[in-house]
């Protein structure tokens, strides 16, 4: 069993428990459930930098990244830096995140928020909306084509943007459908955790232009972004680079200023 299989097995148990504790009706009565969502895809298309900055305390590959930064300051700092959107890890067991992090981020910034999660059930999409997310992540490696279709169409019915993540050509081919807004290429192999920007370059020509192209993982320099822009990438998810510092917002500001020079 690789780490991804393990995470998904744990996630099925976690979601079953959450469903038994908090009914869908209760989630739908949340104040945030009726708020108008903001499109991350539109923000990326209009941007010159395309940065999606992440709040992430730890990960299975790096263990602790930063437990000292609070979500409120990070979200505010990212907004001041001029990022296009913010990604919030809500998985507790492997990444140290929670849905409360999403709530806090929503209360402290006006950015499009991505719920970064291992989604295996429509219940989690309702949760995302109830806790203030504008975008969900779907991971092709853990979903069938039918599940991708069901989840993405359901998200669209709630006015939530969909970022679909792929790692190889096979995942990409099974996933292409009109209910997706963005196609993310993860440069990290989720089974081995090796990182290579070549994955983004290789898959770029196979992604139709109807989708906003996003490159994820292993992006830590301005040069990396500049090397991917000619391949049509408009979005760049930066997870650990800003979170490794004492001030994620200031780090993002410096990065974007350098990028836009």
């Amino acid at each position: 069993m690789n780490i991804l299989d393990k995470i998904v097995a744990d996630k099925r148990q976690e979601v079953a428990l959450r469903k038994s504790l908090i009914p869908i009706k209760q989630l739908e009565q949340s104040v945030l459930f009726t708020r108008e969502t903001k499109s991350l895809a539109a923000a990326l298309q209009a941007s010159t930098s395309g940065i999606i900055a992440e709040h992430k305390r730890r990960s299975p590959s790096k263990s602790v990244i930063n437990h000292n930064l609070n979500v409120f300051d990070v979200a505010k700092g990212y907004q001041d830096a001029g990022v296009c959107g913010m990604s919030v890890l809500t998985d507790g067991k492997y990444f140290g995140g929670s849905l409360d992090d999403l709530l806090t981020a929503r209360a402290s910034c006006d950015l499009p928020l991505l719920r970064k999660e291992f989604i295996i059930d429509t219940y989690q999409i309702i949760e995302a909306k109830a806790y203030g997310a504008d975008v969900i992540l779907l991971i092709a490696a853990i979903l069938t084509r039918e599940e991708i279709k069901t989840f993405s169409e359901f998200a669209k019915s709630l006015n939530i943007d969909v970022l679909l993540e792929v790692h190889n050509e096979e995942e990409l081919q099974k996933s292409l459908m009109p209910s997706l807004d963005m196609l993310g290429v993860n440069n990290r192999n989720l089974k081995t955790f090796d990182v290579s920007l070549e994955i983004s370059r290789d898959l770029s020509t196979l992604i139709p232009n109807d989708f906003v192209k996003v490159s994820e993982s292993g992006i830590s320099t301005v040069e990396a972004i500049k090397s991917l822009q000619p391949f049509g990438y408009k979005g760049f998810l930066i997870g650990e680079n800003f979170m490794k510092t004492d001030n994620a917002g200031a780090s993002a500001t410096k990065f974007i200023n350098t990028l836009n020079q």
Side-chain angles (χ1 to χ4, degrees):
M1 220 182 181
N2 63 46
I3 185 72
L4 196 54
D5 295 334
K6 220 167 141 192
I7 291 172
V8 172
D10 285 340
K11 192 57 63 181
R12 290 196 191 285
Q13 289 184 313
E14 182 197 315
V15 173
L17 177 64
R18 294 178 85 92
K19 284 168 91 168
S20 70
L21 294 173
I22 303 172
I24 286 172
K25 273 209 162 34
Q26 194 177 323
L27 290 171
E28 289 174 341
Q29 283 161 2
S30 141
V31 176
L32 292 171
F33 201 80
T34 52
R35 74 173 264 280
E36 207 173 309
T37 51
K38 288 176 170 289
S39 170
L40 176 60
L44 292 175
Q45 279 175 314
S47 168
T48 50
S49 65
I51 304 294
I52 306 162
E54 195 152 81
H55 180 272
K56 174 159 67 170
R57 293 187 181 86
R58 56 186 164 90
S59 74
S61 62
K62 290 277 170 72
S63 62
V64 173
I65 296 162
N66 197 330
H67 278 298
N68 301 321
L69 299 181
N70 73 66
V71 184
F72 189 90
D73 291 340
V74 172
K76 209 172 166 324
Y78 282 161
Q79 175 150 320
D80 292 344
V83 305
C84 285
M86 178 175 174
S87 165
V88 182
L89 259 304
T90 60
D91 173 78
K93 184 169 182 180
Y94 296 92
F95 292 88
S98 72
L99 277 163
D100 284 344
D101 289 340
L102 197 54
L103 270 187
T104 305
R106 181 75 289 149
S108 46
C109 77
D110 204 23
L111 295 164
L113 292 183
L114 163 70
R115 180 185 186 188
K116 188 95 175 281
E117 182 55 272
F118 299 86
I119 288 182
I120 43 101
D121 194 300
T122 51
Y123 181 84
Q124 293 162 287
I125 303 172
I126 296 168
E127 273 184 333
K129 176 92 168 166
Y131 280 80
D134 304 274
V135 194
I136 57 155
L137 175 77
L138 296 179
I139 302 171
I142 63 173
L143 300 171
T144 63
R145 180 176 172 83
E146 206 39 58
E147 285 171 327
I148 293 167
K149 188 174 189 297
T150 301
F151 296 161
S152 57
E153 287 178 356
F154 183 68
K156 297 314 293 174
S157 76
L158 296 175
N159 284 325
I160 290 177
D161 269 10
V162 180
L163 168 62
L164 182 106
E165 175 180 300
V166 299
H167 301 83
N168 55 42
E169 186 176 346
E170 186 190 350
E171 288 176 6
L172 177 63
Q173 297 304 356
K174 82 166 182 187
S175 308
L176 293 173
M177 55 188 76
S179 43
L180 308 174
D181 302 283
M182 295 160 282
L183 263 159
V185 177
N186 193 337
N187 301 305
R188 176 176 283 118
N189 182 318
L190 288 185
K191 291 170 183 169
T192 64
F193 285 115
D194 294 338
V195 175
S196 167
L197 295 184
E198 282 305 313
I199 301 174
S200 279
R201 294 188 193 105
D202 291 346
L203 292 183
S204 65
T205 55
L206 304 173
I207 302 172
N209 292 329
D210 320 358
F211 306 103
V212 177
K213 296 180 196 178
V214 178
S215 185
E216 311 169 20
S217 296
I219 298 166
S220 56
T221 63
V222 165
E223 289 70 40
I225 289 179
K226 289 191 166 166
S227 76
L228 290 170
Q229 282 172 331
F231 290 87
Y233 285 94
K234 293 290 287 176
F236 305 92
L237 183 74
I238 299 186
E240 288 153 24
N241 205 39
F242 306 143
M243 286 298 293
K244 280 188 303 198
T245 65
D246 294 335
N247 187 327
S251 173
T253 301
K254 193 175 163 194
F255 191 94
I256 289 172
N257 287 344
T258 309
L259 181 61
N260 287 335
Q261 273 169 9

